[in-house]
Amino acid sequence: MTTIQWFPGHMAKARRQVTEKLTLVDVIFELVDARIPLSSRNPILDELIGDKPRIVILNKSDLADEALTQKWVSYFNKQGISAVPIVAQEGIGMKKVMSEAKRLLKPKFDRMAAQGRKPRPIRAMSIGIPNVGKSTLINRFVKKNIAKTGNRPGVTKAQQWLRLNKELDLLDTPGILWPKFEDPEVGKKLALTGAIKDTILQLDDIALYGIEVMQQHYPEQLADRYKLTAEEIVLPSPEMLMLITEKRGFREDYSRAAEMIIYEIRSGKVGRYTLDAVPAVSIPEKGAE
């Protein structure tokens, strides 16, 4: 799989807009996919955000390996970054996001009160790569569909201020992807989880990668889903694709089988999984020498 170059014009514009609007917000809601907490983080965000208070929101945590999600939360916390697992689709974890935002901003709002300034809603900015669930998060906060959603990257095309409730104003932003993926493995992970449009890569390549990672890390789940024997579960991924095609009665329609495998991995039908390993050595905490 070659290095992917993909930086649409609206994303370059979004990057500029984020920089311009940072002074207007109190806290950043950085949404990532809980299955790929590192690969779905945008490397340019650290330089854009600086020291602005931030909460890393690990969305789709119901699809991720639960034990590894907790390790990722600890990893971010060690760096002085708050992290909250949520399931935006179900509204799970939303109260925790708000309580964490209030905790982070209490010193600032206490200072404002001491100065005699009237209370106001928290002003947050949601940032994340495409298809991590930003619009779904917004709709869950207000309990109605005010933001357009779609299970494909690039649905949100412009910034918009939204009054979510009496406690929170949110500046929604389009998904920002970085100019290129230096590591092809990152591109594969983004493709398998649906952050990249399926038209950019070959479906069979994505399916073969999905088979390989499930074989390596979650073989029992893969075997259970496709009724594979101990001998079959260790087959090379191309042979596995052909075998699953046959088992599902698709004759020799490997493209159809590849599409099915990708869908079933993405939707959790093959079980929960996390593709990013928690780094053994965490980045030193802020302020550490």
Side-chain angles (χ1 to χ4, degrees):
M1 193 175 291
T2 57
T3 300
I4 304 162
Q5 302 275 352
W6 189 56
F7 200 46
H10 80 268
M11 290 191 178
K13 180 180 178 182
R15 177 177 173 168
R16 289 195 303 272
Q17 289 176 332
V18 166
T19 305
E20 293 166 2
K21 296 295 196 316
L22 268 177
T23 56
L24 304 178
V25 301
D26 305 308
V27 62
I28 302 296
F29 290 167
E30 181 188 355
L31 265 73
V32 300
D33 188 319
R35 297 167 295 179
I36 47 172
L38 196 60
S39 297
S40 60
R41 295 188 80 202
N42 190 323
I44 69 171
L45 287 186
D46 284 338
E47 63 178 83
L48 292 183
I49 294 170
D51 292 330
K52 182 74 68 174
R54 176 181 0 179
I55 301 172
V56 172
I57 301 174
L58 296 105
N59 193 23
K60 306 181 184 180
S61 60
D62 57 326
L63 299 175
D65 184 317
E66 195 169 7
L68 286 177
T69 296
Q70 290 308 311
K71 289 183 179 180
W72 274 109
V73 169
S74 298
Y75 171 79
F76 286 120
N77 289 342
K78 286 177 182 177
Q79 299 175 65
I81 299 174
S82 297
V84 179
I86 71 164
V87 184
Q89 195 73 45
E90 307 296 329
I92 298 170
M94 312 301 283
K95 290 181 180 179
K96 174 66 174 173
V97 172
M98 274 306 301
S99 64
E100 192 61 17
K102 290 176 183 177
R103 185 189 69 80
L104 286 175
L105 296 173
K106 187 177 186 302
K108 176 177 182 175
F109 278 73
D110 284 348
R111 288 194 302 271
M112 290 169 59
Q115 295 165 0
R117 296 166 65 180
K118 292 182 180 179
R120 64 164 174 79
I122 290 172
R123 295 170 185 160
M125 179 192 290
S126 69
I127 293 180
I129 68 168
N131 207 31
V132 290
K134 294 188 302 300
S135 297
T136 304
L137 175 82
I138 292 166
N139 293 335
R140 279 295 169 182
F141 266 125
V142 295
K143 299 180 174 61
K144 61 182 178 181
N145 293 328
I146 62 170
K148 185 179 178 182
T149 64
N151 190 26
R152 66 186 192 281
V155 171
T156 304
K157 289 291 195 291
Q159 289 186 333
Q160 51 182 335
W161 274 107
L162 301 167
R163 170 61 56 89
L164 299 191
N165 53 52
K166 64 180 181 180
E167 296 183 308
L168 181 65
D169 288 343
L170 189 76
L171 179 62
D172 189 25
T173 63
I176 306 176
L177 210 63
W178 49 95
K180 61 182 176 180
F181 316 125
E182 299 289 354
D183 183 356
E185 190 78 6
V186 171
K188 293 176 186 178
K189 291 175 182 178
L190 291 167
L192 183 61
T193 55
I196 302 172
K197 292 178 181 177
D198 288 334
T199 52
I200 291 178
L201 300 174
Q202 294 292 327
L203 286 181
D204 56 348
D205 285 342
I206 303 172
L208 292 174
Y209 173 72
I211 289 170
E212 289 163 7
V213 295
M214 296 305 287
Q215 279 180 303
Q216 184 176 355
H217 300 290
Y218 303 96
E220 291 180 1
Q221 294 176 190
L222 188 68
D224 183 61
R225 180 65 188 175
Y226 298 112
K227 305 297 184 286
L228 303 170
T229 65
E231 291 76 22
E232 292 170 339
I233 194 63
V234 295
L235 288 172
S237 56
E239 292 182 34
M240 179 76 75
L241 175 59
M242 289 189 286
L243 178 63
I244 293 173
T245 304
E246 180 183 332
K247 282 178 176 285
R248 286 298 174 94
F250 293 166
R251 297 184 182 276
E252 295 183 355
D253 193 345
Y254 304 120
S255 294
R256 182 183 173 192
E259 191 172 351
M260 176 206 67
I261 290 167
I262 294 166
Y263 166 75
E264 295 199 339
I265 291 176
R266 281 181 188 168
S267 62
K269 292 185 183 299
V270 188
R272 298 169 70 139
Y273 63 95
T274 297
L275 301 179
D276 283 344
V278 182
V281 180
S282 64
I283 298 172
E285 293 183 24
K286 289 183 178 179
E289 293 297 329

